[in-house]
Amino acid sequence: RYMLEREVHMLCTVDRNIQKSLGSLSEYALKEQLKWGSIVTASNDMDECGMNCKGGDFIIEIIARSNKQADNFIDNVQNVRGITATTSDPETIKYINKCAGVIDVETDCTLCIIKPHAVTANKQSAVINEIINSNKFDVHAIMSKHLHSDMADEFFRVYRNLVPQYASFLEQMCIGPCIAMCITLKDGASTGTNDMGEPMGVVESFREFVGPNNCELAIMLRPNSLRAIAGNPGLKTNTLQNGIHCTDLPEDGFMENSYFFNTLCSIRVK
């Protein structure tokens, strides 16, 4: 109880059109080992509770352990173009999240989910920073969501015959909040070619960026991949807790993003 009373909640808005600002916020949060709370993307302009954000802006709750730590964080990010930050309270943040609305996702996109175990381990800052610094991908929309078992099964059912230990996999996806991101290719980004010599689209390129499904292999073969960064290596966890889900097939990118940013957002705003 004492620790909870000392926590300081901050409400940050990040301009989606200045992607480096999201990277800067992640970098400062990582440096100070701050926790992330709720995350939404504003569907249109908002001025609730003194907020002044545009449609498409990211609204991110950051939690500090003390007033001093919160003040240091706010001082740092306020100097970054595209970020505003202020202290707030959980009830105000909850209300603003409910007002955020549903998001229109891009047609040519892929979904990235930072799994609950990685969020609990506070690895989201490192993952998001890596995505932004790749200079290949943009975060079009971002949200946090604590899935219950029916939601997880509805979303992952198409992977039922592909994922070993499917029941355990679903359980892992429901142990805490996950962070979902709609990822698009940055204008003019070079994605390379696939095994057929064809240019890779966003789904294929991002899947390669995420790395091998087995995070122990990712650490050995692709140490800078997202699963090497976010995974929890071990005999029983190297695939169940590999840190990241990403869209597998190009035709599924829009559908997977629509589930999170349309279907689940619709549930949130009711």
Side-chain angles (χ1 to χ4, degrees):
R1 178 178 173 83
Y2 175 67
M3 289 301 294
L4 286 175
E5 289 176 346
R6 289 183 59 195
E7 286 184 340
V8 181
H9 296 254
M10 293 168 284
L11 197 59
C12 306
T13 60
V14 179
D15 189 333
R16 179 175 68 188
N17 295 318
I18 308 175
Q19 288 279 305
K20 288 292 184 183
S21 60
L22 179 60
S24 296
L25 182 139
S26 301
E27 186 176 339
Y28 284 122
L30 178 63
K31 180 180 178 181
E32 297 291 336
Q33 287 298 295
L34 300 177
K35 293 195 299 182
W36 292 54
S38 60
I39 307 168
V40 294
T41 300
S43 58
N44 23 56
D45 296 352
M46 293 175 59
D47 58 4
E48 280 81 1
C49 304
M51 290 282 294
N52 182 19
C53 67
K54 309 183 299 297
D57 282 356
F58 309 139
I59 304 172
I60 301 172
E61 177 188 12
I62 298 291
I63 304 169
R65 296 184 296 275
S66 67
N67 286 316
K68 181 178 180 180
Q69 192 181 42
D71 290 343
N72 287 340
F73 176 78
I74 290 174
D75 286 345
N76 283 323
V77 299
Q78 291 286 39
N79 295 321
V80 178
R81 181 168 169 259
I83 300 178
T84 62
T86 183
T87 55
S88 189
D89 63 89
E91 286 304 311
T92 298
I93 293 170
K94 185 177 180 180
Y95 172 75
I96 289 171
N97 289 345
K98 190 173 181 180
C99 295
V102 300
I103 305 301
D104 291 328
V105 298
E106 293 288 303
T107 303
D108 190 15
C109 60
T110 191
L111 180 69
C112 173
I113 300 175
I114 307 175
K115 294 182 178 181
H117 76 87
V119 174
T120 300
N122 211 23
K123 294 182 178 180
Q124 61 269 32
S125 294
V127 169
I128 292 171
N129 212 26
E130 194 71 20
I131 293 170
I132 299 300
N133 288 336
S134 72
N135 291 317
K136 290 175 62 175
F137 306 105
D138 279 339
V139 178
H140 176 73
I142 183 171
M143 66 178 285
S144 59
K145 184 69 179 179
H146 193 154
L147 301 175
H148 58 62
S149 56
D150 288 345
M151 289 176 181
D153 184 47
E154 182 178 19
F155 179 79
F156 287 107
R157 198 170 297 154
V158 294
Y159 295 96
R160 182 189 297 271
N161 296 324
L162 302 174
V163 175
Q165 301 173 281
Y166 181 71
S168 298
F169 171 78
L170 290 185
E171 184 178 335
Q172 284 292 321
M173 291 303 304
C174 299
I175 60 174
C178 64
I179 295 175
M181 291 177 281
C182 176
I183 303 293
T184 58
L185 279 176
K186 190 176 287 294
D187 288 343
S190 174
T191 60
T193 57
N194 58 23
D195 293 339
M196 304 293 292
E198 302 166 335
M200 289 191 289
V202 61
V203 170
E204 194 173 7
S205 181
F206 191 76
R207 192 175 66 233
E208 182 180 88
F209 183 71
V210 166
N213 192 49
N214 183 314
C215 63
E216 287 189 326
L217 288 178
I219 291 169
M220 288 188 292
L221 302 176
R222 301 280 304 287
N224 294 320
S225 66
L226 296 190
R227 285 190 175 128
I229 293 169
N232 182 19
L235 182 62
K236 296 182 179 180
T237 60
N238 55 21
T239 55
L240 287 177
Q241 293 192 356
N242 62 7
I244 304 291
H245 163 80
C246 65
T247 305
D248 189 43
L249 299 174
E251 58 267 28
D252 291 340
F254 178 79
M255 177 184 67
E256 290 195 358
N257 276 288
S258 293
Y259 183 77
F260 271 85
F261 293 100
N262 293 161
T263 303
L264 295 187
C265 283
S266 296
I267 296 171
R268 183 188 67 217
V269 301
K270 287 181 179 178

